[in-house]
Amino acid sequence: MPDDDVLLHVEHVSKTFGEIHACDDVSFDLWPGEVLGIVGESGSGKTTLLKCLAGREEPDSGLISYTNRRGEASDIFAMSEPERRMLARTDWGFVHQNPRDGLRLDITAGGNIGERLMMVGARHYGNIREEAETWMNRVELEFGRIDSPPRTFSGGMQQRLQIARNLVSGPRLVFMDEPTGGLDVSVQARLLDLLRELVRELQVAVVIVTHDLAVARLLSDRLMVMRRGAVVESGLTDQVLDDPQHEYSQLLVSSILQV
Amino acid sequence: MASKTETQTMIEVSGLSKAFVLHTQGSTRISVFEGLSMEVGAGECMALDGPSGAGKSTLMRILYANYRIDRGRIKVRHKGEMVDLASSAPRMVLEVRRRTLGYVSQFLRVIPRVATLDVVSEPLRALGVEEAEAHDRARTMLARVNVPERLWGLAPATFSGGEQQRVNVARGFVAELPILLLDEPTASLDAINRQCVMGLIDEAKTRGAAVVGIFHDHEVRDAVADSVFDMRETLAASGEAA
C-alpha cells in the first residue's frame, strides 16, 4: 500500500512491444511538489513509461495509483475512460516535446489557454480572458499576440503557450516529454528558467523525461536513469550526476562534453 | 566557556567507508575512507587538513550527501534530532539542506538568466521568506561581501572569479543555517574580502553554527578554526585497510 501522502505510486510496471521490453519492472513513489527527472538514451523506454504514468498507454502488468485532492488513492487503469479523461483535465497536465501535439493551432492563443479553463468548469468570459492575459504575461508572451493562432508563433513561443495551457488550470501533476527538445539553445535557457520558477512557485509535482542531463540537473529533485526499459539507478539528482554508481550512469555522465 | 560535554553535537560521522569504482575505466576501485569517524559541535569550526588528494573535498561532499557512501552514518542535527543522511530519502535530504545544511563551494553553479539578487535570496525563499524581506537580506549580504550594487540585477555568469565567489559566499551565509560546509571560501579573494569572510564565519560560530571548512590559506584557518581534522591519518588508516 502506498504511503498516505504519496501523490503517484508506481509498482512493478512493465510494458512490452513484441520482444522489446519498453518498461521493465519499474517502481517508485512521487510526492506532492516533487520534480522527478527520467534520463536515458532514446529507446531506453522513458517516453513509454511517461505515457503509462499519464494513463495514455496501458502497461501489461503493474499498478499506477494516483491520490486525488480528497486523499483517495485509485488505480488509474481501473477507472473508466471518462474518469481518467476527467483526471487528465482537472488534476494533470501533459507537455509534449512538439508543441503542435499539445495545442490547437487554429484557435487563438488566448483560446488555447481559455479552453483548458473551460474544461474545468470556468464559464465567465471576462474571467477567462483575464486569466489568459495573466498567463500570456507569465510565460513571457507578448500580450498583443493573444488573438493570434499559435500556427503563427515560433517554436519557443508555441512551447511557452503549451506550458501556459497546461498550468492555467492549477494541475497537481504535470508530465513533460523533452519540453526543451526541439528548441535553439538560447530559447531553451529561457524556457528552462521559466519552468524552474513556475514549478517552484506553483508547488506542482512534475515527471520530466529528458536526454539532456543539464536540463535534468536544473529542474529535477530526483533522477531515475533508464536503460533498456529498466531503472538502473535512482536518487537525488546531484548524487546521481556527481557520484554515479551504475556503469551505465557513469558512461552517460562521462559522455557529456565540457564547454 | 562551555565544557565539552555541554556542547551539542551537530555533526556525527561514524564508520564511514567510501570507495569510487570507475566502471568506464576498467572497474578501477579507489578506496578513499575506511572507517572514518568525526564529530563537530555547535559553535565549533573544524578545519580539514591534509595534502591534495587526501579526500578533503570528498568528505565535504559526503557531509552534504552529494556523494554516497558504502558504509557508515552521516548524522546531522536537524530540528533538534540527529538525522542520518546516508539512509534518508531524497526529499528528507533536500529538507535537511534547506533548513540545516549550507554548502559554499569554490565555484558558483550559474543558472542562465537568474539575477544575482535572486541567486542570493533563493535559500531564504526556499524557507518561505517573503520576496521583499528575502531581497532586503540578500542586499545587506551582497553589500557586506562588497559585490558592487550595479551587478545585483545581472546574472553572475560574466562576473570575475572573485565576484562569483563572493556571490557564492553571500548565498551560503544569508539564511544563517545551523551547519555550514565551506570548501575554500576565500580561494580567490583579496585581503579585505578574506577578512570579511572570516567575520562571517565568526558570527556564524557565535550564533551556534557548526562549521567544517577547507582553508588553504593558513592565516584564515588559524583565525577561524577551533580544531583541525588531520586527513593524513585517515589516509594512512585506509592504506592499512586496503
Side-chain angles (χ1 to χ4, degrees), chain A residues 31-248:
Chain A
W31 277 266
E34 210 174 25
V35 181
L36 172 71
I38 304 176
V39 298
E41 291 168 355
S42 47
S44 60
K46 49 193 196 313
T47 296
T48 302
L49 175 61
L50 193 74
K51 284 184 181 159
C52 290
L53 301 178
R56 289 162 178 253
E57 186 96 63
E58 187 160 0
D60 302 332
S61 58
L63 169 73
I64 299 169
S65 155
Y66 173 76
T67 307
N68 66 18
R69 289 174 210 258
R70 291 185 302 278
E72 302 153 352
S74 37
D75 178 347
I76 62 167
F77 287 101
M79 295 175 190
S80 67
E81 181 64 38
E83 275 177 311
R84 200 159 48 239
R85 228 182 291 137
M86 192 59 195
L87 198 61
R89 281 180 196 160
T90 57
D91 279 36
W92 295 354
F94 197 105
V95 177
H96 297 264
Q97 172 172 8
N98 188 338
R100 290 184 290 280
D101 295 334
L103 291 173
R104 290 181 54 190
L105 294 178
D106 294 319
I107 68 168
T108 64
N112 267 280
I113 300 174
E115 186 182 54
R116 177 81 186 186
L117 278 174
M118 288 181 337
M119 284 177 185
V120 295
R123 287 291 172 268
H124 187 280
Y125 176 80
N127 294 349
I128 292 170
R129 175 83 183 180
E130 202 177 312
E131 190 74 357
E133 284 173 9
T134 307
W135 272 92
M136 290 288 285
N137 187 34
R138 280 181 101 165
V139 298
E140 302 172 24
L141 286 171
E142 233 179 282
F143 170 69
R145 302 296 294 271
I146 193 165
D147 294 318
S148 316
R151 185 166 29 76
T152 64
F153 288 8
S154 71
M157 288 165 67
Q158 287 181 349
Q159 197 55 299
R160 277 178 275 142
L161 182 63
Q162 192 192 184
I163 287 161
R165 177 179 160 97
N166 272 281
L167 295 182
V168 66
S169 55
R172 300 169 73 219
L173 173 59
V174 176
F175 302 98
M176 298 187 187
D177 188 9
E178 304 271 10
T180 59
L183 304 173
D184 290 342
V185 179
S186 60
V187 179
Q188 257 189 38
R190 188 173 177 193
L191 188 74
L192 276 173
D193 184 33
L194 182 78
L195 280 175
R196 211 176 63 94
E197 256 168 51
L198 289 174
V199 163
R200 197 174 22 174
E201 192 187 314
L202 303 171
Q203 288 287 300
V204 56
V206 178
V207 181
I208 177 169
V209 158
T210 178
H211 68 275
D212 187 334
L213 299 186
V215 169
R217 190 191 281 273
L218 207 58
L219 291 179
S220 57
D221 301 318
R222 276 163 59 203
L223 269 192
M224 294 200 316
V225 182
M226 285 186 77
R227 185 176 62 163
R228 291 186 206 129
V231 175
V232 297
E233 181 165 356
S234 63
L236 212 57
T237 298
D238 62 281
Q239 279 178 350
V240 173
L241 295 179
D242 295 338
D243 188 18
Q245 307 288 308
H246 190 274
E247 188 177 351
Y248 179 68

Side-chain angles (χ1 to χ4, degrees), chain B residues 175-193:
Chain B
E176 302 192 343
L177 299 175
I179 300 177
L180 291 174
L181 309 171
L182 311 175
D183 190 348
E184 298 267 11
T186 58
S188 37
L189 302 186
D190 59 21
I192 293 169
N193 286 306

